[in-house]
Amino acid sequence: VRSLHVAQDGTIYVGSKKELGYLEPDENGQLRYVSLMEHIPPNDREFQDVWNTFETPDGIYFYSYTRLLRWKNNRFKTWDIYTNGSPNYIQGHLYITGRDGKLLRLENDRLVTVTQRAEFVRGIMAILPLPAPNKDVLVIPWARELKAFNLQTGEYTDSFKVPEATNSFLKKHTFYNYSRFPDGRFFINTLQGGSLLLDPQFNILKNYTQSTGLPGDIVYYSHIDREGAVWVGTGKGMARLELDTP
């Protein structure tokens, strides 16, 4: 399994290597896997790892580096892509990064170019929202730092300055992905330095590492549950963090 997503209706969607589908209960209430591969047109079934599975108002998306698939109304829509980095749904649009450094936006089921930059060749790892009323975002290309960016013009801006301590840490430890709390805090996962808890202004509140209780310092995934605790998946196992517990 490469990715999981719990949809708003409770369905658990699964992305794997050359495979995707969902889980549903059988007659005994036990979850069983149901493949969706037969619903994909035969010519579009060639893909490798499904690294991201996520939901938008347009449907359930499955993302691999060579194929983007959307499941809606029991049908698949597919796009041929050649990408790096992670997909990002923000400000009502889906964004992905081509290996030629193009930032692409999905508009009316077409991928259009926003901009093309050398630092995007290895992919944008995340596009993060800024506190209102700022309508810019923060982008972080692979192994770089967070910078303010305007998705309409495709240009960097000076509308927000990320704290130096935060960017220094992320440049050293390699940002991987993040989760966001309802109150605006961020839980940032890295490939060398564990996870960071940031306030809405991106100041570091705490660094969670193996020395503070995580199974390992390589963190691949985090999920915030209904109680506000964070499930963390590392290279050495999983942990549940109750952040407000001393």
Side-chain angles (χ1 to χ4, degrees):
V1 174
R2 292 290 187 259
S3 56
L4 291 170
H5 176 75
V6 181
Q8 291 185 356
D9 65 4
T11 302
I12 302 173
Y13 289 91
V14 181
S16 186
K17 188 178 182 68
K18 300 182 180 181
E19 177 63 48
L20 51 80
Y22 62 94
L23 302 178
E24 71 172 10
D26 61 18
E27 62 274 10
N28 297 316
Q30 299 296 313
L31 289 177
R32 67 182 185 92
Y33 177 74
V34 179
S35 176
L36 288 172
M37 293 297 292
E38 66 180 30
H39 296 278
I40 303 174
N43 292 337
D44 294 333
R45 295 176 187 173
E46 290 296 323
F47 53 85
Q48 296 296 316
D49 299 283
V50 180
W51 291 111
N52 300 84
T53 301
F54 57 97
E55 183 177 17
T56 80
D58 296 323
I60 304 295
Y61 284 88
F62 299 90
Y63 169 85
S64 76
Y65 290 151
T66 57
R67 188 89 63 204
L68 177 67
L69 306 99
R70 184 180 67 210
W71 176 246
K72 184 178 182 180
N73 298 328
N74 295 318
R75 296 182 59 186
F76 272 107
K77 167 71 176 175
T78 68
W79 293 264
D80 291 332
I81 57 177
Y82 190 60
T83 61
N84 274 323
S86 300
N88 291 271
Y89 186 81
I90 192 168
Q91 297 182 356
H93 289 286
L94 176 63
Y95 292 86
I96 61 176
T97 319
R99 295 189 188 182
D100 54 1
K102 289 182 179 179
L103 176 62
L104 304 170
R105 178 170 56 227
L106 188 60
E107 293 184 0
N108 299 317
D109 286 349
R110 294 179 58 250
L111 288 168
V112 300
T113 301
V114 176
T115 188
Q116 185 173 20
R117 293 181 175 274
E119 66 268 28
F120 293 172
V121 168
R122 296 190 66 186
I124 291 176
M125 299 310 296
I127 302 175
L128 293 81
L130 281 169
N134 197 326
K135 294 184 179 180
D136 289 340
V137 297
L138 293 180
V139 299
I140 182 162
W142 174 264
R144 290 178 180 258
E145 60 185 14
L146 287 162
K147 288 186 178 181
F149 190 84
N150 187 291
L151 289 171
Q152 301 307 310
T153 65
E155 299 291 337
Y156 290 107
T157 77
D158 296 322
S159 66
F160 184 88
K161 183 173 177 58
V162 176
E164 184 177 346
T166 302
N167 264 339
S168 295
F169 185 95
L170 295 177
K171 287 174 69 177
K172 181 179 178 181
H173 296 99
T174 310
F175 179 109
Y176 194 62
N177 55 35
Y178 77 99
S179 299
R180 192 184 188 199
F181 291 88
D183 64 6
R185 290 177 300 164
F186 293 87
F187 195 84
I188 305 292
N189 304 311
T190 75
L191 294 182
Q192 288 93 21
S195 298
L196 288 181
L197 179 64
L198 306 181
D199 70 14
Q201 299 295 323
F202 295 88
N203 296 292
I204 298 175
L205 299 176
K206 188 169 182 178
N207 181 202
Y208 296 90
T209 65
Q210 188 168 352
S211 64
T212 63
L214 287 185
D217 287 337
I218 301 174
V219 182
Y220 293 120
Y221 184 73
S222 59
H223 172 74
I224 301 169
D225 67 21
R226 296 174 183 175
E227 286 75 41
V230 183
W231 291 86
V232 181
T234 78
K236 295 182 178 180
M238 294 185 63
R240 184 176 187 265
L241 303 178
E242 298 181 3
L243 304 190
D244 294 328
T245 300

